[in-house]
């Protein structure tokens, strides 16, 4: 399979630390068992200091789930490329370390948009939620059966919560069009969710919202990416994704939706 370019862009009530450890352990078991059998014969792209992939600009849209907050649209750089040990995959930046399965074990960081400001009348009495800074490890496995993205993050900002995700993407070509259907799961622990969607007793008294403690969540995600050649080397890339919110999130009095949509349209130069 050629490089999957558009897959990144993620209800139990267990104790957050235990949940994160169990989920991370399960992720490790799956990686070890699933990749060990094929990893010995895997064809792994070598580390070369030559830019390969897409670099350009994009319009990004993110649907807010917070009451009284509208969708946000931004014009920002776009990148899905590799250069030596550095890789950019839309909103995830990583450094490759050792060979691992069909790819590399990577030190990774995520550009998050989960924070929000309490700057509307409906949110009066609440505190702003600082945008998370997810840092951790991950891997992109370019297998013969499709692309697999696995990441495990901890928020280095206010929540200090854990965020785990697994995304599978296939590729189908029709003429000059390439289609990338995607399916994934996102897990976030209680620390992460409660910071973003919980309501403290003090906030409840000041805002009128009921106090709420958000638990851990597991949310399915479906997406579709499309590449269209505009004339070599220019490419139009589009992606839409929908996440179905776990009850621990959508039951929050701050949340007004059961789903959340993301998308972007990018024009980029493809380096080969």
């Amino acid at each position: 399979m050629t490089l999957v370019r558009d897959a990144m862009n993620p209800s139990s009530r267990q104790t957050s630390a235990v949940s994160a450890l169990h989920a991370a352990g399960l992720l490790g078991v799956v990686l070890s068992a699933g990749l060990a059998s094929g990893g010995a014969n895997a064809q792994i792209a070598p580390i070369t200091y030559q830019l390969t992939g897409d670099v350009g600009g994009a319009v990004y849209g993110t649907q807010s789930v917070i009451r009284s907050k509208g969708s946000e649209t931004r014009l920002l750089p776009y990148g899905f490329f590799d250069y030596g040990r550095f890789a950019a995959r839309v909103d995830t930046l990583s450094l490759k370390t050792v060979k691992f399965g069909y790819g590399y074990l990577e030190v990774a960081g995520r550009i998050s948009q989960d924070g929000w400001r309490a700057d509307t009348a409906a949110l009066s009495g609440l505190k702003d939620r600082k945008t998370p800074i997810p840092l951790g490890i991950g891997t992109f496995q370019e297998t013969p059966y499709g692309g697999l993205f696995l990441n495990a993050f901890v928020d280095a900002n206010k929540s200090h919560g854990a965020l785990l995700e697994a995304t599978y993407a296939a590729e189908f070509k029709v003429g000059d069009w390439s289609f990338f259907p995607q399916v994934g799961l996102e897990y976030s622990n209680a620390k992460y969710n409660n910071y973003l969607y919980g309501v403290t007793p003090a906030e409840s008294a000041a805002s009128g919202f009921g106090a709420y403690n958000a638990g851990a969540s597991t949310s399915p995600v479906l997406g579709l990416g499309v590449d269209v050649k505009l004339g070599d080397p220019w490419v139009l890339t589009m992606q839409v994704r929908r996440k179905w919110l776990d009850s621990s999130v959508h039951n929050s009095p701050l949340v007004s939706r059961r789903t959340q949509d993301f998308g972007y349209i990018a024009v980029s130069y493809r380096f080969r």
Side-chain angles (χ1 to χ4, degrees), residues 151-221:
N151 292 296
F153 297 117
V154 172
D155 176 20
N157 205 353
K158 291 293 186 178
S159 79
H160 303 297
L163 178 64
L164 309 177
E165 61 181 20
T167 302
Y168 169 79
E171 179 182 9
F172 301 96
K173 287 183 175 291
V174 181
D176 288 340
W177 293 59
S178 296
F179 297 88
F180 303 91
Q182 306 153 27
V183 60
L185 282 175
E186 294 184 3
Y187 168 90
S188 48
N189 71 358
K191 272 188 175 182
Y192 191 91
N193 288 338
N194 201 48
Y195 175 74
L196 292 171
Y197 311 115
V199 181
T200 67
E203 286 183 315
S204 177
S207 67
F209 287 107
Y212 185 74
N213 286 313
S217 65
T218 302
S219 299
V221 182

Side-chain angles (χ1 to χ4, degrees), residues 105-118:
L105 185 64
E106 301 171 353
V107 178
R110 167 67 49 79
I111 301 171
S112 174
Q113 299 185 55
D114 286 345
W116 51 273
R117 296 183 62 190

Side-chain angles (χ1 to χ4, degrees), residues 44-45 47 85 95-107 138-141:
I44 303 173
I47 299 291
R85 292 191 177 275
L95 286 175
K96 303 170 188 174
T97 60
V98 297
K99 291 182 179 180
F100 183 69
Y102 289 90
Y104 293 87
L105 185 64
E106 301 171 353
V107 178
T139 184
F140 167 48
Q141 298 292 311

